[in-house]
Amino acid sequence: MPILGLGTWQLTKDTAGTVEAALRLGYRMIDTAEDYGTQPGIGEAIKRNATARDRIYVVTKVEETDDAYEATRRYLDELQLDYADLMLIHRPPPSGAGEELWRGLIRAKKDGLARDIGVSNYAIDLIEILIRATGETPTVNQIEWSPFGHSDKMLTYCQQRQIVIQAYSPLTRTKRLDDNTLGALAAKYGKTPAQMLIRWNLQRGTVPLPKANRREHLQENFQIFDFEISRDDMASINGLNEGYSSLGTLPYD
Ligand SMILES: NC(=O)c1ccc[n+]([C@@H]2O[C@H](COP(=O)([O-])OP(=O)(O)OC[C@H]3O[C@@H](n4cnc5c(N)ncnc54)[C@H](OP(=O)(O)O)[C@@H]3O)[C@@H](O)[C@H]2O)c1
């Protein structure tokens, strides 16, 4: 799995053109969901671009009301792909942990429709229910995750279970890019606040999925492999945690 991906929520203006530009810049993971409306454009970009299919990691999600197996087939049709690299349960259903959804994804994986399967917006206890019910551990938990809202408890749990945390809204939907501490550290490294947030994820072993419509943002967000945040500065950034969520509440404690 690539260590950085492109988010595509609200990337509907010119999805195919933007995703193609991202592939040309070197992005190798694209995150989508049926309700983003970007699956057809992503499929188009993958077709048009010269990058081999097996070098691109496509993530999509089934909804809590879906029949997971049938929905996987439907979303693959929209993407014009034979398989997804990662199929997630978008969020847990209102009651229970989504064991039926999980069984549907296990079947999709067995049948080669998904290489990896995982969950999104799951708390630890719900992940444990899925594992106990089926013996299958999710490859990924995709959750809102930034220095302003993250959890050592979740990180330790996922490390122990070898579950990758994918960080959504890693740029806080721009809401906290003007934070003073972040700004001062960005100036110290000659980087932007957005680049600091992305790099912080890489150094924590979590996988950020920044979304960018604008070409200059796409480029900026990929220029994060040429510097390293020191241990002390990582501690300062970790310390910005206040359980912040740009969506409302974090789906974990
Ligand atoms: N699993 C889930 O339930 C879930 C929920 C939410 C999101 N997600 C996924 O995670 C992805 C990312 O999250 P998100 O879209 O909520 O928010 P985000 O990536 O935190 O923020 C996106 C915003 O940041 C701006 N931006 C991008 N790069 C920038 C830069 N270098 N400097 C300043 N601003 C910059 C973008 O502007 P422009 O677009 O104008 O460039 C856009 O307004 C989503 O697109 C989606 O794929 C998943």
Side-chain angles (χ1 to χ4, degrees), residues 10-27:
Q10 289 194 333
L11 200 137
T12 46
K13 222 166 57 197
D14 174 19
T15 310
T18 309
V19 171
E20 234 201 315
L23 290 171
R24 276 200 300 274
L25 281 167
Y27 287 81

Side-chain angles (χ1 to χ4, degrees), residues 7-9 31 36 61 90 120-121 142 168-174 177 194 209-214 217 220-221 247:
T8 68
W9 179 70
D31 178 70
Y36 299 175
K61 313 176 185 88
H90 203 158
S120 177
N121 296 302
Q142 186 182 114
Y168 76 64
S169 306
L171 306 179
T172 67
R173 295 191 169 171
T174 74
L177 292 183
L209 305 169
K211 173 257 179 183
N213 249 314
R214 283 179 247 178
H217 285 163
E220 181 181 316
N221 297 345
L247 276 72

Side-chain angles (χ1 to χ4, degrees), residues 154-169:
M154 178 62 86
L155 186 65
T156 305
Y157 167 76
C158 285
Q159 282 166 343
Q160 281 165 353
R161 279 286 195 194
Q162 294 192 296
I163 297 170
V164 175
I165 293 180
Q166 287 189 340
Y168 76 64
S169 306

Side-chain angles (χ1 to χ4, degrees), residues 57-155:
Y57 193 93
V58 179
V59 185
T60 190
K61 313 176 185 88
V62 297
E63 304 302 313
E64 62 273 34
T65 48
D66 280 336
D67 171 316
Y69 188 84
E70 289 309 321
T72 299
R73 295 172 78 107
R74 233 176 24 252
Y75 301 156
L76 288 176
D77 278 352
E78 273 202 17
L79 283 158
Q80 307 171 68
L81 296 177
D82 298 330
Y83 67 91
D85 295 276
L86 175 63
M87 186 61 76
L88 303 175
I89 300 175
H90 203 158
R91 57 188 76 76
S95 66
E99 293 94 319
E100 266 322 289
L101 290 162
W102 192 232
R103 287 195 181 92
L105 288 192
I106 292 170
R107 200 178 135 215
K109 184 179 165 189
K110 278 205 180 94
D111 287 356
L113 303 179
R115 296 269 160 99
D116 293 323
I117 54 175
V119 295
S120 177
N121 296 302
Y122 267 63
I124 292 171
D125 57 335
L126 293 182
I127 298 177
E128 284 297 305
I129 292 172
L130 293 188
I131 297 173
R132 273 201 302 277
T134 62
E136 178 93 12
T137 303
T139 300
V140 161
N141 189 18
Q142 186 182 114
I143 44 182
E144 184 171 2
W145 190 266
S146 78
F148 303 97
H150 61 108
S151 152
D152 285 341
K153 189 173 152 197
M154 178 62 86
L155 186 65

Side-chain angles (χ1 to χ4, degrees), residues 191-252:
K191 289 288 175 182
T192 65
Q195 288 171 322
M196 295 301 284
L197 296 182
I198 295 168
R199 182 74 208 182
W200 170 83
N201 267 293
L202 300 195
Q203 291 187 212
R204 293 267 280 176
T206 52
V207 175
L209 305 169
K211 173 257 179 183
N213 249 314
R214 283 179 247 178
R215 298 294 196 271
E216 62 270 27
H217 285 163
L218 274 183
Q219 200 154 11
E220 181 181 316
N221 297 345
F222 206 72
Q223 286 164 353
I224 37 73
F225 299 107
D226 58 353
F227 76 112
E228 185 163 350
I229 304 171
S230 73
R231 182 191 283 254
D232 285 352
D233 291 338
M234 280 297 287
S236 302
I237 301 174
N238 284 339
L240 295 171
N241 194 10
E242 52 183 51
Y244 175 81
S245 163
S246 54
L247 276 72
T249 49
L250 293 173
Y252 53 84

